[in-house]
Amino acid sequence: MQPIPETLSHPATSEIERGDVLHALSDEARLSIVLAVADGGECAMRAIEVPVTKSTCTHHFKVLREAGVIRQRQVGTARLNTLRSDDLNERFPGLLDSVLGAARSRRGAAA
């Protein structure tokens, strides 16, 4: 008997809330995930190095998905992630670019 695949819920563009997005992006691990997806395009969860346990990593992806920051799709055993930049820019023009730009600048200064 085949297991029933988990249905991944994503908020519609009109349902994405600024507070949820900012909360999702306020955590360093989640911000690292978003930067990796922004820089690398669609990628599997396992392709992104996050220095936390697997269950904590899964939680971070769920927070990002439920906030509307990323879109996930199941392909076999992999969950592929894409950044919802068009949806976020429609709802909150410039917000994502500003947060990612600041994060990149901070990382560049730390290097």
Side-chain angles (χ1 to χ4, degrees), residues 2-41:
Q2 285 281 344
I4 299 172
E6 178 185 352
T7 302
L8 300 172
S9 62
H10 299 86
T13 302
S14 63
E15 297 172 337
I16 298 173
E17 297 290 333
R18 182 181 297 120
D20 294 339
V21 171
L22 291 173
H23 168 75
L25 296 174
S26 69
D27 181 270
E28 285 298 319
R30 291 192 292 263
L31 189 55
S32 292
I33 291 168
V34 172
L35 284 166
V37 175
D39 293 341

Side-chain angles (χ1 to χ4, degrees), residues 6-84:
E6 178 185 352
T7 302
L8 300 172
S9 62
H10 299 86
T13 302
S14 63
E15 297 172 337
I16 298 173
E17 297 290 333
R18 182 181 297 120
D20 294 339
V21 171
L22 291 173
H23 168 75
L25 296 174
S26 69
D27 181 270
E28 285 298 319
R30 291 192 292 263
L31 189 55
S32 292
I33 291 168
V34 172
L35 284 166
V37 175
D39 293 341
E42 185 176 61
C43 58
M45 289 172 61
R46 66 179 171 267
I48 300 171
E49 289 190 37
V50 184
V52 295
T53 64
K54 184 178 178 182
S55 62
T56 301
C57 188
T58 300
H59 168 75
H60 286 314
F61 277 94
K62 180 179 179 183
V63 169
L64 291 166
R65 185 184 75 242
E66 290 180 347
V69 176
I70 63 170
R71 181 170 303 280
Q72 292 184 307
R73 65 185 182 100
Q74 194 77 32
V75 177
T77 60
R79 272 201 189 154
L80 300 181
N81 303 279
T82 54
L83 190 59
R84 293 182 64 180

